[in-house]
Amino acid sequence: MLRFSPYKCCISLTMKPSPALSKMSFSRFASFLYLLSFVLLLQTVVGVDPLFHFCSSSEKFIDNGPYETNLNKLMGYLYLAAPPTGSGKGSVGQNHDQVNGLALCRGDVSNTDCKDCITEASTEIRKLCPDNKAAIVWYDHCLLKYSNMNFFGQVDYQNRFYMWNLNNVSYPTSFNQKTKELLSHLAQQGFVNQKMYAVGELELEESKKLYGLTQCTRDLSSSDCKKCLDDAISELPSCCDGKEGGRVVGGSCNIRYEIYPFLVNS
Ligand SMILES: *[C@@H]1O[C@H](CO)[C@@H](O)[C@H](O)[C@H]1NC(C)=O
């Protein structure tokens, strides 16, 4: 088991719709747009922010020691190995200095975007967790995780966070039922393909649609993937009850639903 902090995060996915916007005069709105495009531009240059990260609470490595050398080698390997298939894992070094790591890109992300995300993640995680032997960071497009423990093939129930849309749906009971139905269906589908990834849609009332995604890291067996996803689905009432969108994101699997299409090609 990885020794990350058991801290559960609750961060919100989207801002509340701002009533201030409708009251803005045109010039203020224009400068707001300008500022927004500047911020977006800056984001493309500097990169996107991680969704969340955990640093291992206890064990640290020594600057420029063998562990760090192995970690650097592993990062260099993963960013080349993962993009062609969307996933990579590897171990470098032996005994106390062994580093195990994996990188996973969201199933729809292109090779280039996958590579960009892993590059960004491997730089950023070293800033966020400079000398921690184990760490994990999540982005919209990828996940990067490493540890001195060999965690391959084990469901990570410890590193997990939620995100949700602040907006409430009008009919929470039937909506919750639908999200569960869609994601459970995808959890069944996902583990039968090699990518351990599934996406799908469900019709809602008033010609609205519900979009869903499930994905596991590919070190898991099919049955563990299913276990991980079912466990994540069972968390939905805690985070996302009656919310327009929600995600349960973990170190071994993640689920997401939205009432808008959120994939690259949808
Ligand atoms: C959604 O419902 C919660 C709980 O009833 C409430 O606190 C919150 O303000 C609502 N959010 C919006 C955006 O109306």
Side-chain angles (χ1 to χ4, degrees):
M1 278 284 117
L2 291 176
R3 272 170 255 151
F4 289 112
S5 135
Y7 172 75
K8 275 187 185 176
C9 139
C10 304
I11 45 178
S12 57
L13 179 56
T14 48
M15 294 293 141
K16 277 184 191 172
S18 165
L21 194 62
S22 55
K23 285 187 205 147
M24 270 185 198
S25 68
F26 178 72
S27 65
R28 276 188 64 201
F29 185 62
S31 57
F32 168 76
L33 280 183
Y34 175 75
L35 190 68
L36 190 70
S37 59
F38 180 71
V39 168
L40 288 176
L41 190 70
L42 209 63
Q43 285 246 317
T44 357
V45 176
V46 180
V48 289
D49 288 332
L51 298 175
F52 207 70
H53 75 278
F54 291 108
C55 307
S56 65
S57 49
S58 50
E59 294 185 70
K60 303 284 171 82
F61 60 78
I62 301 155
D63 263 2
N64 300 315
Y67 194 89
E68 185 165 21
T69 310
N70 292 339
L71 180 57
N72 292 339
K73 274 189 201 156
L74 181 66
M75 294 294 111
Y77 166 75
L78 287 177
Y79 113 100
L80 290 174
T85 60
S87 163
K89 69 177 167 75
S91 303
V92 177
Q94 288 178 337
N95 304 325
H96 293 301
D97 297 319
Q98 186 175 66
V99 193
N100 310 282
L102 73 76
L104 176 72
C105 288
R106 203 173 70 190
D108 62 314
V109 167
S110 71
N111 288 5
T112 316
D113 288 347
C114 180
K115 196 170 201 163
D116 287 350
C117 189
I118 296 170
T119 309
E120 175 71 22
S122 53
T123 314
E124 196 61 26
I125 192 68
R126 298 297 299 283
K127 287 186 208 151
L128 295 165
C129 312
D131 56 359
N132 300 82
K133 284 196 171 179
I136 182 166
V137 64
W138 293 269
Y139 287 78
D140 246 345
H141 286 176
C142 71
L143 149 75
L144 180 73
K145 170 177 172 177
Y146 54 82
S147 174
N148 54 328
M149 305 292 201
N150 185 332
F151 58 84
F152 301 135
Q154 294 167 46
V155 179
D156 177 354
Y157 291 110
Q158 280 176 311
N159 300 297
R160 177 179 286 178
F161 67 98
Y162 311 130
M163 291 171 88
W164 62 89
N165 191 311
L166 286 173
N167 294 326
N168 301 311
V169 295
S170 326
Y171 303 99
T173 312
S174 62
F175 186 82
N176 291 343
Q177 191 60 42
K178 294 268 188 193
T179 57
K180 195 174 173 210
E181 185 188 320
L182 174 60
L183 293 169
S184 303
H185 174 71
L186 295 178
Q188 293 281 356
Q189 301 289 308
F191 71 92
V192 297
N193 67 51
Q194 270 190 332
K195 275 186 150 183
M196 300 219 181
Y197 165 77
V199 292
E201 305 171 8
L202 198 67
E203 298 283 339
L204 299 172
E205 299 86 5
E206 298 159 4
S207 69
K208 281 184 184 161
K209 271 186 186 171
L210 184 65
Y211 300 84
L213 171 154
T214 62
Q215 185 168 22
C216 294
T217 56
R218 289 180 218 163
D219 59 313
L220 295 189
S221 67
S222 306
S223 59
D224 281 341
C225 172
K226 178 77 170 42
K227 263 186 220 158
C228 185
L229 292 173
D230 285 343
D231 187 66
I233 292 166
S234 75
E235 298 274 331
L236 285 173
S238 325
C239 67
C240 311
D241 185 26
K243 299 296 173 192
E244 281 184 357
R247 310 188 206 185
V248 179
V249 188
S252 294
C253 71
N254 80 90
I255 61 172
R256 180 175 181 183
Y257 73 87
E258 304 285 354
I259 54 166
Y260 63 89
F262 56 91
L263 298 170
V264 178
N265 295 315
S266 52

